Amino acid sequence: MQYWFQTSLAALLVFLLSACTQTYGRSQLMLLTPEQERQIGESGRDEILQQATLSTNKKAIAQVTRVGQKIAKAANQPDFEWEFYVIEDKSVNAFCLPTGKVFVYTGILPFVSNDDDLATIMGHEIAHAILRHGAERMSMAQVSDMGQQLTSTLAANFAPDYAPLVSGVYSVVSQYGVMLPYGRDRELEADKAGLEIMIKAGYNPQAAPRFWQKMAASNRSSDFDFFSTHPSDSKRIAQLQSLIKQKSR
């Protein structure tokens, strides 16, 4: 049993090390290939378009397309196939699927006062795709599942009476100690990269903290982020203001 454990652990470590890449100055766990990401982006787009209602608001469509194209040009991703859609939905939401399929919901547009505000949103969402955050999150989830299986097997063999407790503790630690902090960190990373992209595209960076101040004023989020996938608005605003201050020196 000890030999099995050592072999399994060694194999897992080799697997994880071989799956590490570099992005934005840090190591990144990546189990998906760019081709797999492209397929996910295309299938996700097709599924959304089958279920969603596209907006007929010509002004909104023109604005999203105009800002999106400028942000996409600044992002400089020649392998991406950019597409921009406005979805008729009250959800305060926007996202970018792998390889540049961008969706903006009409529910977020009341918070958009001008192109700079929209550039804040689209720069952030496009940064997620460029930094491969979706694929990284899927990779981490796969590794977490592998760890859960390994932990459950070990507990069943060495401490069967405590196996359910061990499995439960692993799930809690994995969720609140790894996955949620990971999600918050990637949101802040996308804020930073998105700010750089919108500046490169010629938009006013001061719009970014102002946009999140508007979101905070809407009472849509809590200032306590431990149980959240997203950082608090105050933390996002503070980081953006600090970055803008650094860039203005």
Side-chain angles (χ1 to χ4, degrees), residues 6-83:
Q6 292 174 339
T7 301
S8 299
L9 184 59
L12 180 59
L13 289 173
V14 170
F15 173 71
L16 293 178
L17 288 173
S18 65
C20 285
T21 62
Q22 289 290 320
T23 186
Y24 213 57
R26 66 174 177 84
S27 295
Q28 181 180 46
L29 178 66
M30 187 59 60
L31 304 181
L32 276 70
T33 66
E35 174 59 23
Q36 288 173 319
E37 283 185 274
R38 184 188 65 78
Q39 293 174 0
I40 290 172
E42 292 182 353
S43 62
R45 173 205 58 199
D46 293 344
E47 183 175 347
I48 292 169
L49 293 179
Q50 288 175 3
Q51 300 176 0
T53 300
L54 289 176
S55 174
T56 57
N57 186 324
K58 294 182 179 179
K59 182 179 178 180
I61 295 170
Q63 185 182 30
V64 167
T65 302
R66 178 177 66 250
V67 175
Q69 288 175 344
K70 288 184 68 175
I71 292 291
K73 183 178 179 180
N76 190 27
Q77 296 291 311
D79 294 336
F80 277 34
E81 298 174 353
W82 297 100
E83 300 172 18

Side-chain angles (χ1 to χ4, degrees), residues 163-185:
L165 175 62
V166 171
S167 180
V169 169
Y170 179 92
S171 296
V172 171
V173 172
S174 175
Q175 178 71 1
Y176 294 103
V178 179
M179 297 304 291
L180 288 180
Y182 156 81
R184 294 192 292 270
D185 287 345

Side-chain angles (χ1 to χ4, degrees), residues 179-196:
M179 297 304 291
L180 288 180
Y182 156 81
R184 294 192 292 270
D185 287 345
R186 297 298 84 82
E187 289 296 324
L188 291 172
E189 188 174 74
D191 281 348
K192 182 178 180 180
L195 182 71
E196 294 172 354

Side-chain angles (χ1 to χ4, degrees), residues 23-236:
T23 186
Y24 213 57
R26 66 174 177 84
S27 295
Q28 181 180 46
L29 178 66
M30 187 59 60
L31 304 181
L32 276 70
T33 66
E35 174 59 23
Q36 288 173 319
E37 283 185 274
R38 184 188 65 78
Q39 293 174 0
I40 290 172
E42 292 182 353
S43 62
R45 173 205 58 199
D46 293 344
E47 183 175 347
I48 292 169
L49 293 179
Q50 288 175 3
Q51 300 176 0
T53 300
L54 289 176
S55 174
T56 57
N57 186 324
K58 294 182 179 179
K59 182 179 178 180
I61 295 170
Q63 185 182 30
V64 167
T65 302
R66 178 177 66 250
V67 175
Q69 288 175 344
K70 288 184 68 175
I71 292 291
K73 183 178 179 180
N76 190 27
Q77 296 291 311
D79 294 336
F80 277 34
E81 298 174 353
W82 297 100
E83 300 172 18
F84 304 97
Y85 300 95
V86 180
I87 302 297
E88 193 66 45
D89 192 296
K90 294 181 180 180
S91 301
V92 181
N93 195 22
F95 56 89
C96 178
L97 295 176
T99 67
K101 280 58 178 172
V102 183
F103 293 83
V104 177
Y105 285 34
T106 55
I108 204 170
L109 295 181
F111 295 92
V112 174
S113 302
N114 49 47
D115 283 7
D116 293 318
D117 283 350
L118 186 57
T120 297
I121 299 168
M122 299 185 76
H124 171 89
E125 299 303 338
I126 285 172
H128 275 310
I130 291 172
L131 297 174
R132 304 181 71 189
H133 284 166
E136 184 180 13
R137 183 171 59 252
M138 293 175 66
S139 299
M140 290 190 66
Q142 290 180 38
V143 171
S144 178
D145 289 344
M146 292 168 59
Q148 177 83 68
Q149 294 173 10
L150 181 60
T151 300
S152 297
T153 300
L154 291 173
N157 282 277
F158 292 105
D161 292 340
Y162 296 95
L165 175 62
V166 171
S167 180
V169 169
Y170 179 92
S171 296
V172 171
V173 172
S174 175
Q175 178 71 1
Y176 294 103
V178 179
M179 297 304 291
L180 288 180
Y182 156 81
R184 294 192 292 270
D185 287 345
R186 297 298 84 82
E187 289 296 324
L188 291 172
E189 188 174 74
D191 281 348
K192 182 178 180 180
L195 182 71
E196 294 172 354
I197 294 170
M198 70 179 289
I199 291 173
K200 188 177 179 181
Y203 292 105
N204 180 8
Q206 295 290 348
R210 286 201 298 262
F211 174 79
W212 287 110
Q213 286 167 349
K214 285 191 290 186
M215 293 293 285
S218 73
N219 295 318
R220 291 182 177 274
S221 62
S222 168
D223 206 43
F224 182 65
D225 61 11
F226 182 78
F227 298 105
S228 176
T229 58
H230 287 59
S232 64
D233 289 331
S234 62
K235 188 175 293 184
R236 305 182 90 146

